[in-house]
Amino acid sequence: MPDSNDKETNQGHGLTYADAGVDIDTGNDLVEAIKPLIKATNRPGVMGNIGGFGGLFDLKELGLKDPLLVAANDGVGTKLKLAIETGIHDSVGIDLTAMCVNDLVVQGAEPLFFLDYFACGALETGVAQDVIAGIAKGCQMAGCALIGGETAEMPGMYAKGEYDLAGFSVGAVERTQLLPRSTLKPSDQIIGLASNGVHSNGFSLVRAVIERSGLALADRAPFQTDRSLGEALLTPTRIYVKSILEALKRVSEIKALAHITGGGLLENIPRVLSPGLSAQIDLSRLAPPPVFAWLKETGGISDTEMLRTFNCGTGMVVIVEERAAQATIDCLNASGERAVHIGEIIEHDTPLITNNQVAFS
């Protein structure tokens, strides 16, 4: 028979949530630490403070007559592996915001608010704070408010030091301004906006190239010698929101936009085309940053694989009436973008046709 003292011993120290690996006090400390970051993202329409059961936003503050809400969610993918290995955590927060808000603005919507989901095995306040600081910076760059989020501490689900991210954003657009427009037609012009680099897609392939190269993330980047390989590859996704919204205000002839993410130009432009229309792209007009030449050469990657995996230097595409093409380019460049004419819409059954080759150099 078991000794009666065993029962007393087992009950002598009751388990706590902290014993199980979840520290509520650390989570509370994080909330306090990020409150100033969140406050800095406030914009008209935000109601209440962080800490409630849900974020509040007053649509009446926007003054829209017939608004539609547009929602988007995304993550950062295996780019997080590089952030974890290098200890650089703030830039992936910008990536997270960018991947959501860029998807909103291509439908003509102004991003209004953002919520994040941060999941880890054991909460490290400094790491989480860096990530959320990046998210808040991205929100400021996009003009949207960070109104809430969730920090999930799940022992046993993630290895020590690992975490995952997801983001959720909502925007609004007048019903009459929703994109893409049904008036797309042959002769409409295609404008490409330069990317900052790889952005947040294709990093499983990027990591395979790194492994083949034999380089460490702390080594100098062969394509950008003033930075380490890890720092260069963690350059965050460009946020196009403010420049695009300004162009939409000034150029009524803009008909469609495409965010160039996974699938590259080959798969993302056709998503906004009407049946029977094709995008004819002159690949020689693209100007890929040197990182893409390094990836292609080191990985022995074909041109087609590059074009359907990476943005290859073009992170956003604008389709506009021919007569307003130059005005659109001028407006975007005045807002700090690098916009160039890369093609036009034609009548064809094939969704996308390419001419020439990309000059990876």
Side-chain angles (χ1 to χ4, degrees):
M1 294 181 63
D3 192 308
S4 60
N5 289 330
D6 288 346
K7 184 176 181 180
E8 292 179 4
T9 301
N10 291 338
Q11 292 181 342
H13 174 66
L15 289 173
T16 66
Y17 212 1
D19 292 330
V22 179
D23 192 330
I24 295 174
D25 292 334
T26 300
N28 290 337
D29 290 342
L30 174 63
V31 171
E32 290 302 314
I34 64 175
K35 279 184 177 180
L37 301 174
I38 294 170
K39 186 177 180 180
T41 70
N42 273 356
R43 54 153 293 151
V46 173
M47 297 177 61
N49 298 311
I50 194 75
F53 288 99
L56 298 174
F57 194 93
D58 185 357
L59 282 175
K60 287 184 179 179
E61 290 288 319
L62 303 180
L64 298 177
K65 297 178 181 178
D66 187 15
L68 295 174
L69 293 180
V70 184
N73 71 297
D74 212 330
V76 181
T78 59
K79 190 175 186 178
L80 289 178
K81 297 286 285 185
L82 273 64
I84 292 165
E85 290 171 23
T86 59
I88 301 171
H89 302 285
D90 54 346
S91 60
V92 290
I94 298 175
D95 282 306
L96 183 68
T97 309
M99 296 304 289
C100 295
V101 297
N102 285 341
D103 279 355
L104 295 181
V105 79
V106 298
Q107 294 174 89
E110 176 187 356
L112 303 177
F113 57 84
F114 190 90
L115 298 97
D116 69 281
Y117 175 78
F118 180 97
C120 59
L123 185 60
E124 298 178 45
T125 304
V127 171
Q129 189 170 345
D130 284 350
V131 171
I132 295 170
I135 294 170
K137 183 175 180 180
C139 286
Q140 288 180 290
M141 294 166 70
C144 69
L146 179 57
I147 65 169
E150 170 71 6
T151 302
E153 198 172 6
M154 298 184 287
M157 288 289 290
Y158 298 90
K160 181 176 174 57
E162 291 188 347
Y163 60 87
D164 198 8
L165 293 175
F168 310 84
S169 193
V170 172
V173 58
E174 289 280 16
R175 189 182 301 270
T176 57
Q177 301 302 312
L178 184 66
L179 299 177
R181 299 191 189 284
S182 60
T183 55
L184 276 170
K185 69 180 190 304
S187 80
D188 287 342
Q189 300 300 294
I190 304 172
I191 298 165
L193 277 61
S195 69
N196 284 343
V198 184
H199 285 183
S200 296
N201 297 103
F203 269 84
S204 294
L205 181 53
V206 170
R207 289 166 50 238
V209 172
I210 295 171
E211 185 175 354
R212 174 177 285 195
S213 75
L215 293 173
L217 293 175
D219 292 337
R220 288 294 169 190
F223 51 88
Q224 192 175 348
T225 55
D226 62 335
R227 304 177 77 188
S228 72
L229 181 59
E231 289 171 336
L233 290 173
L234 283 168
T235 300
T237 304
R238 188 169 183 82
I239 293 176
Y240 299 96
V241 170
K242 290 185 177 179
S243 58
I244 290 291
L245 289 177
E246 182 64 21
L248 290 172
K249 287 179 184 177
R250 294 180 177 273
V251 185
S252 61
E253 294 90 348
I254 292 174
K255 297 181 177 182
L257 301 159
H259 184 199
I260 309 305
T261 55
L265 291 166
L266 300 185
E267 296 186 9
N268 284 292
I269 296 178
R271 294 169 66 180
V272 301
L273 299 181
S274 306
L277 295 180
S278 175
Q280 183 168 274
I281 304 296
D282 183 349
L283 296 178
S284 68
R285 296 187 181 183
L286 306 184
V291 60
F292 294 105
W294 177 77
L295 289 168
K296 176 178 170 59
E297 180 180 351
T298 307
I301 305 170
S302 70
D303 282 7
T304 299
E305 189 69 13
M306 289 292 296
L307 284 165
R308 74 173 193 168
T309 303
F310 302 116
N311 66 63
C312 293
T314 300
M316 182 71 72
V317 159
V318 181
I319 303 176
V320 61
E321 188 91 23
E322 184 176 18
R323 67 175 182 271
Q326 190 57 53
T328 303
I329 291 173
D330 292 343
C331 180
L332 290 166
N333 287 338
S335 294
E337 303 295 347
R338 287 172 291 150
V340 296
H341 177 252
I342 63 171
E344 67 177 329
I345 300 299
I346 62 172
E347 192 171 0
H348 203 282
D349 291 335
T350 303
L352 189 137
I353 298 172
T354 57
N355 295 331
N356 302 314
Q357 289 184 310
V358 183
F360 292 104
S361 61

